[in-house]
Amino acid sequence: MTERYVLDLQEVDETQVAVVGGKGAHLGGLSRIEGIRVPAGFCVTTDAFRRIMAEAPSLDDRLDQLSLLNPDDREAIRTLSAQIRRTIEGIAIPGDLAAVITRALAQLGEQAACAVRSSATAEDLPTASFAGQQDTYLNVVGPTAILQHVSRCWASLFTERAVTYRQRNGIDHRTVHMAVVVQRMVFPHASGILFTADPVTGNRKVATVDAGFGLGEALVSGLVNPDVFKVRHGEVVAKAIAAKQRAVHALPTGGTQEVAIDSRRQEQPALTDAQVVRLVQLGRRIEAHFGRPQDIEWCLVDDGFQIVQSRPITTLFPIPETGDQEHHVYVSVGHGQMMTDPMKPLGLSMWQLTAMVPMHTAGGRLFVDVTRRLASPASRAGLLDVVGRGDPLIRDALETVLDRDDFVPSLPDAGPGGPPTGGASATIETDPAIVTELIERSQESIAALERDIRTKTGPALFDFLLEAFEEHKRVLGDPLSMQAIMAGMEATWWLNDTLQEWLGEKNAADTLTLSAPDNVTSEMGLALLDVADVIRPHSEVVAFLQGVEDEGFLDELAKLTGGAEARDAIEAYLDRYGMRCVGEIDITRPRWRERPTTLVPVILDNVRNFEPGAAERRFEQGRQKAQKKEQDVLSRLRALPDGDRKADEAKRMIDRVRTFIGYREYPKYGIVSRYFVYKQALLEEAERLVQANVLPEKEDIFYLTFQELHDVVRSNQVDGRLIQQRKDAFRSYHALTPPRVLTSDGEAVTGAYRRDDVPAGALIGLPVSAGTIEGRARVILDIAEADLEAGDILVTTFTDPSWSPLFVGIAALVTEVGGLMTHGAVIAREYGLPAVVGVERATRLIRDGQRIRVHGTDGYVEILP
């Protein structure tokens, strides 16, 4: 039995994480790669740790207490974890275990200086690196000191930061065990970290080397700034040599100390270019072995490199798989759809099956490959124009990639440029009957879908759905619908561009589109004000709603005075809008109809902040403001040279924008209405799978693609491990920020606003709805936690249509994602809210409760003192 307490590094590899922890398993794997030198050593296994934990029965109760603590209760975590650490360090290592460790130490040389390093079973994982969570002790000399430091490593599983990290990541403390790696100490001339992909841009072709003198602790602890080298295709392409004033060196008696570096050496590079290139070659070998980019700790000893750790870089955004070696440029779908959160596999595959263009997945997000369209000059101009109007950051990012002559191939204009951007819109008349007809067509198609799907189950349902997806795409691609959308957008652009030229007025269309007719999303916000009007007179209903937590609350309502009317009003609202929700392009997200409690805080805000009849008043005020603006613009134009012609042209465009701009929101409403029908049918199928004991729970189907779910329904068999892997991966995708533009090299290209007309310190964005306003910033990441007062400014990552009920109660809008024609911008204009979108990191740079000034006409936000 005792042999399992210690394993030589040469005996282990990366499959043995459960026995020797992440670090030990990686070091064992490293030591097996040809040409890679790893300092000799051994692992004290997790069996030893479990034996020690069993020596103190009191630890069980404390672990129970720990798991019940809130991750934010730092004081309680600090106190309890310190008690656990003291208990573990106080346990005497049993004689047989101590003897096994001492024997292994004799193989390294009993008085050899060693590094004693924690190696937990939940570290260096593909989805959570746990970097720096547990402890390492350098230059430990002699058996007594080494046994003492092994105990400290065991205890370090319960440092405050390790405990908090596990709790935040949903990892049970009892499932994590600690092994300890004991290695012969190396005394390097230089050391540091090698990233086999650029950790800042994500570019997999660029390796980054950080280097300093002495032991790596100086860099890791932030004591010195490292030299930084960047290597591409086997040559150093950039370097920055730092003044390295201090280093950490080992002491002969054990332990380490900081030393000052001779002033003449401070600015010398820690490595030569040739050494850097050689190190990167070793890194590429290690990366190939582990199959993914690595973060590698290295030491330079006598002109030879030794590797002391390698872990996956977990912060890189994954690259879509293509199966070829060509260059590709991808544009994020989420930034256009106002949903940059990760999607579950069923959501991704359903969007792919119903989208008008092929889509690729990576990191739980969707991307469109625009390489072919960029390669041909004719389609390139159209693409850049359309994306530039929508999101200047995407355009700038694409231009950045195009400036690299060698990345995007050049195709002749006749080459396949992909579908044309936009559509022929000049042929459509300015006729409101067109919009009425389009809406009727969509409603008829959805009614037919609801009728025909009722009788379909099992494999027949999936055959039916594949046909339904074709109808879905036919409705979405209806030429008349595309023309109506483009007519509204192009009229907006014409008014903004031309009235600025003729009258010197910015963003005139913002006022001219106030309260435009037929906008299903702005109607949705106003309709919730009407729901509040029904509820407001009944204090018993208001009090009840303030305590609502259970989704069945609508049945309870009817028992209260005024409750039946309140329930009917909410039900009628859900009948019309219940298929909507935040992140609605992901079919797996809970809809308002499935989770009506989501709407309760917004209804209560409306009850508190508005007077009866507010919806009708708001709409009418907007309509009159737009009318007044129209008269003002036309009279000013008539006073100009050739004024009558200019006024007639502008009048034609104003009528056009008011006829068609509201319809811009309808196709999304149609998509989401169809999605809810598909979802209900698939969940009924999932219920049958649960009844047949094929699946433990209905929502497990969300972690399968549509095709995989089809196979499960046919075979009545499911791979439970696959579902678990998908759940783990989905959880890890939340930590990743999707880039607007991504290349096949893995480079995330962010783009920049090229502007110099903004005050210093202001946050730059895209002006999408005119006006300037000051107010209190409310940074809200979850609509269910909205608690707004009149005059507040909403600051959030993105707003899809489900956020529009909040728009009626705010003074202005700031988002991190968005464009001129995305939903939030369209609704902000209809409600007359100043809005700036595309403000990078707005939710982190603006603090909740701060006073800010939103410049909706000029596109920037000032944080006020």
Side-chain angles (χ1 to χ4, degrees):
M1 186 60 209
T2 53
E3 294 78 40
R4 297 194 52 211
Y5 290 145
V6 165
L7 289 170
D8 193 276
L9 274 181
Q10 299 284 334
E11 296 177 73
V12 299
D13 63 23
E14 53 272 34
T15 63
Q16 288 163 279
V17 171
V19 183
V20 295
K23 189 175 293 158
H26 271 85
L27 284 167
L30 282 166
S31 65
R32 290 158 177 252
I33 306 171
E34 196 180 334
I36 302 298
R37 291 164 59 200
V38 175
F42 59 89
C43 302
V44 182
T45 67
T46 52
D47 282 351
F49 172 76
R50 276 190 286 270
R51 171 136 175 225
I52 289 295
M53 293 294 277
E55 298 275 327
S58 66
L59 285 171
D60 251 5
D61 296 341
R62 288 193 173 145
L63 286 179
D64 287 340
Q65 287 172 269
L66 197 59
S67 60
L68 296 173
L69 294 179
N70 183 321
D72 295 323
D73 189 349
R74 295 185 58 178
E75 193 51 49
I77 288 175
R78 185 178 300 132
T79 306
L80 193 50
S81 56
Q83 286 173 6
I84 293 171
R85 287 198 305 280
R86 274 199 302 276
T87 304
I88 294 171
E89 285 187 40
I91 297 168
I93 298 179
D96 59 328
L97 177 49
V100 177
I101 296 171
T102 308
R103 269 205 304 278
L105 191 56
Q107 302 287 308
L108 296 179
E110 199 160 292
Q111 290 305 310
C114 291
V116 183
R117 315 172 71 194
S118 308
S119 178
T121 54
E123 68 177 4
D124 297 350
L125 304 178
T127 55
S129 78
F130 286 75
Q133 293 304 311
Q134 278 90 35
D135 294 346
T136 285
Y137 301 97
L138 298 179
N139 202 30
V140 182
V141 179
T144 309
I146 282 180
L147 288 171
Q148 184 190 3
H149 284 85
V150 167
S151 283
R152 285 189 184 169
C153 283
W154 288 329
S156 76
L157 191 61
F158 297 98
T159 60
E160 183 189 342
R161 65 178 185 271
V163 166
T164 306
Y165 189 94
R166 285 196 293 273
Q167 282 179 290
R168 287 196 195 288
N169 282 278
I171 295 165
D172 180 354
H173 301 300
R174 292 174 185 283
T175 62
V176 184
H177 300 115
M178 180 66 85
V180 182
V181 176
V182 179
Q183 278 177 290
R184 189 179 291 134
M185 189 71 193
V186 290
F187 301 102
H189 160 74
S191 57
I193 299 166
L194 156 63
F195 298 96
T196 63
D198 189 319
V200 178
T201 68
N203 194 325
R204 310 304 201 262
K205 299 281 173 67
V206 175
T208 302
V209 175
D210 290 3
F213 294 122
L215 291 165
E217 299 310 288
L219 300 190
V220 175
S221 63
L223 185 64
V224 297
N225 289 326
D227 297 338
V228 181
F229 302 85
K230 294 204 181 288
V231 176
R232 188 187 176 99
H233 300 319
E235 64 175 302
V236 175
V237 291
K239 60 181 164 184
I241 307 305
K244 300 168 287 297
Q245 293 168 347
R246 307 190 73 70
V248 172
H249 282 215
L251 291 168
T253 52
T256 60
Q257 73 171 63
E258 283 177 34
V259 294
I261 295 175
D262 182 300
S263 59
R264 286 164 303 185
R265 277 186 71 215
Q266 285 180 6
E267 302 210 14
Q268 282 182 357
L271 295 178
T272 66
D273 283 10
Q275 286 171 328
V276 170
V277 169
R278 187 154 43 111
L279 176 61
V280 170
Q281 285 167 349
L282 296 176
R284 293 279 175 234
R285 202 176 288 180
I286 294 168
E287 178 182 67
H289 175 83
F290 289 118
R292 54 189 304 151
Q294 298 287 302
D295 158 355
I296 297 165
E297 292 179 27
W298 56 268
C299 295
L300 177 66
V301 186
D302 303 331
D303 201 41
F305 286 104
Q306 300 216 19
I307 305 300
V308 292
Q309 188 157 339
S310 185
R311 62 169 78 92
I313 307 175
T314 56
T315 53
L316 299 176
F317 201 86
I319 307 171
E321 287 176 19
T322 56
D324 63 38
Q325 296 301 307
E326 306 292 310
H327 286 168
H328 294 271
V329 182
Y330 303 98
V331 170
S332 161
V333 173
H335 284 81
Q337 290 295 337
M338 298 294 91
M339 208 313 251
T340 53
D341 289 348
M343 293 167 69
K344 294 189 179 112
L346 187 64
L348 291 166
S349 68
M350 294 285 276
W351 193 264
Q352 285 174 303
L353 286 163
T354 50
M356 303 302 287
V357 292
M359 294 195 172
H360 302 263
T361 65
R365 277 69 167 199
L366 290 160
F367 293 87
V368 173
D369 186 342
V370 295
T371 322
R372 300 302 293 262
R373 280 165 67 177
L374 286 175
S376 153
S379 58
R380 178 190 311 151
L383 174 70
L384 290 174
D385 184 49
V386 168
V387 300
R389 283 186 182 277
D391 186 335
L393 291 177
I394 294 182
R395 177 178 184 138
D396 189 74
L398 290 174
E399 287 175 334
T400 303
V401 176
L402 283 167
D403 286 344
R404 298 173 192 156
D405 300 336
D406 57 338
F407 197 81
V408 177
S410 249
L411 293 175
D413 277 350
T421 46
S425 52
T427 53
I428 191 173
E429 292 297 311
T430 302
D431 179 1
I434 293 173
V435 172
T436 309
E437 182 197 336
L438 284 167
I439 290 174
E440 280 171 4
R441 273 193 219 172
S442 175
Q443 285 172 338
E444 282 165 15
S445 173
I446 291 164
L449 171 68
E450 286 174 325
R451 186 184 64 239
D452 296 345
I453 205 168
R454 281 188 196 126
T455 56
K456 307 292 186 289
T457 61
L461 169 67
F462 287 81
D463 296 336
F464 171 81
L465 282 171
L466 287 169
E467 286 174 33
F469 297 161
E470 291 311 306
E471 165 68 1
H472 180 125
K473 288 197 272 194
R474 191 194 63 70
V475 171
L476 205 53
D478 178 341
L480 189 63
S481 176
M482 303 291 273
Q483 287 175 324
I485 292 167
M486 287 309 292
M489 285 164 60
E490 287 175 349
T492 306
W493 297 335
W494 188 93
L495 285 166
N496 278 340
D497 294 348
T498 311
L499 295 181
Q500 179 152 12
E501 187 188 328
W502 288 348
L503 296 175
E505 186 168 338
K506 280 184 182 176
N507 302 18
D510 294 359
T511 311
L512 294 166
T513 54
L514 287 170
S515 299
D518 299 311
N519 186 320
V520 69
T521 309
S522 60
E523 287 164 8
M524 178 170 81
L526 296 172
L528 207 58
L529 287 174
D530 292 336
V531 172
D533 285 355
V534 175
I535 288 168
R536 193 179 291 106
H538 305 292
S539 56
E540 207 182 333
V541 172
V542 173
F544 170 77
L545 288 176
Q546 280 163 343
V548 156
E549 285 180 5
D550 177 29
E551 297 303 341
F553 74 93
L554 289 169
D555 297 333
E556 298 294 308
L557 261 182
K559 301 171 188 170
L560 308 174
T561 308
E565 300 97 294
R567 185 195 59 195
D568 292 349
I570 296 172
E571 284 284 0
Y573 186 86
L574 289 172
D575 286 343
R576 181 141 166 74
Y577 304 111
M579 77 298 284
R580 307 220 85 149
C581 67
V582 172
E584 61 193 8
I585 71 168
D586 182 352
I587 197 171
T588 72
R589 290 284 190 106
R591 311 280 136 180
W592 290 344
R593 170 53 83 190
E594 296 170 299
R595 203 175 280 176
T597 53
T598 311
L599 291 172
V600 170
V602 192
I603 293 171
L604 289 170
D605 279 351
N606 288 349
V607 166
R608 190 174 71 242
N609 294 335
F610 290 92
E611 297 293 318
E616 200 176 332
R617 270 199 311 281
R618 284 286 296 266
F619 190 79
E620 188 50 34
Q621 282 164 358
R623 206 181 59 75
Q624 287 179 10
K625 223 169 164 182
Q627 215 170 1
K628 193 161 166 271
K629 181 71 174 175
E630 179 182 329
Q631 290 162 352
D632 168 57
V633 163
L634 296 179
S635 68
R636 283 160 64 201
L637 286 174
R638 287 197 185 97
L640 297 175
D642 198 16
D644 286 349
R645 178 188 64 80
K646 286 175 176 165
D648 288 350
E649 263 189 76
K651 171 66 176 152
R652 215 167 41 248
M653 284 300 177
I654 291 168
D655 290 348
R656 198 164 175 77
V657 86
R658 290 196 69 79
T659 300
F660 291 117
I661 201 66
Y663 178 70
R664 161 80 183 80
E665 291 292 295
Y666 203 86
K668 183 83 169 270
Y669 176 77
I671 290 173
V672 176
S673 300
R674 298 177 78 88
Y675 260 25
F676 195 35
V677 180
Y678 306 153
K679 181 181 189 179
Q680 287 168 307
L682 289 172
L683 281 174
E684 282 174 27
E685 209 53 50
E687 184 58 50
R688 282 190 280 278
L689 291 169
V690 171
Q691 297 300 327
N693 291 323
V694 177
L695 284 177
E697 48 191 60
K698 281 197 304 190
E699 280 77 18
D700 283 352
I701 67 166
F702 297 160
Y703 297 94
L704 298 169
T705 65
F706 180 81
Q707 187 54 56
E708 288 165 348
L709 179 53
H710 191 177
D711 294 341
V712 169
V713 168
R714 264 202 300 257
S715 67
N716 263 357
Q717 288 180 313
V718 72
D719 180 350
R721 278 175 327 197
L722 176 69
I723 289 176
Q724 190 53 52
Q725 282 167 2
R726 296 270 177 82
K727 286 180 177 177
D728 293 342
F730 176 70
R731 204 167 31 237
S732 75
Y733 294 152
H734 282 277
L736 300 173
T737 303
R740 282 178 164 80
V741 171
L742 179 67
T743 74
S744 47
D745 284 352
E747 184 178 3
V749 192
T750 47
Y753 292 106
R754 312 285 172 183
R755 289 173 54 188
D756 51 13
D757 58 342
V758 170
L763 309 180
I764 302 177
L766 185 64
V768 295
S769 187
T772 300
I773 207 144
E774 274 182 33
R776 177 179 71 154
R778 292 310 317 269
V779 179
I780 296 172
L781 302 178
D782 178 353
I783 192 171
E785 289 169 14
D787 179 15
L788 295 162
E789 300 288 342
D792 282 349
I793 296 170
L794 174 61
V795 180
T796 188
T797 42
F798 57 79
T799 61
D800 58 11
S802 70
W803 286 76
S804 62
L806 291 188
F807 284 23
V808 297
I810 58 175
L813 172 71
V814 178
T815 67
E816 295 182 349
V817 175
L820 195 59
M821 285 297 166
T822 46
H823 304 275
V826 172
I827 306 307
R829 289 195 288 274
E830 288 227 354
Y831 286 169
L833 297 175
V836 181
V837 302
V839 180
E840 291 277 80
R841 298 173 54 237
T843 58
R844 280 168 280 183
L845 296 171
I846 299 169
R847 286 199 312 277
D848 188 48
Q850 268 184 326
R851 287 196 68 75
I852 61 174
R853 187 181 295 129
V854 177
H855 295 261
T857 310
D858 295 313
Y860 63 91
V861 179
E862 288 179 282
I863 297 174
L864 303 174

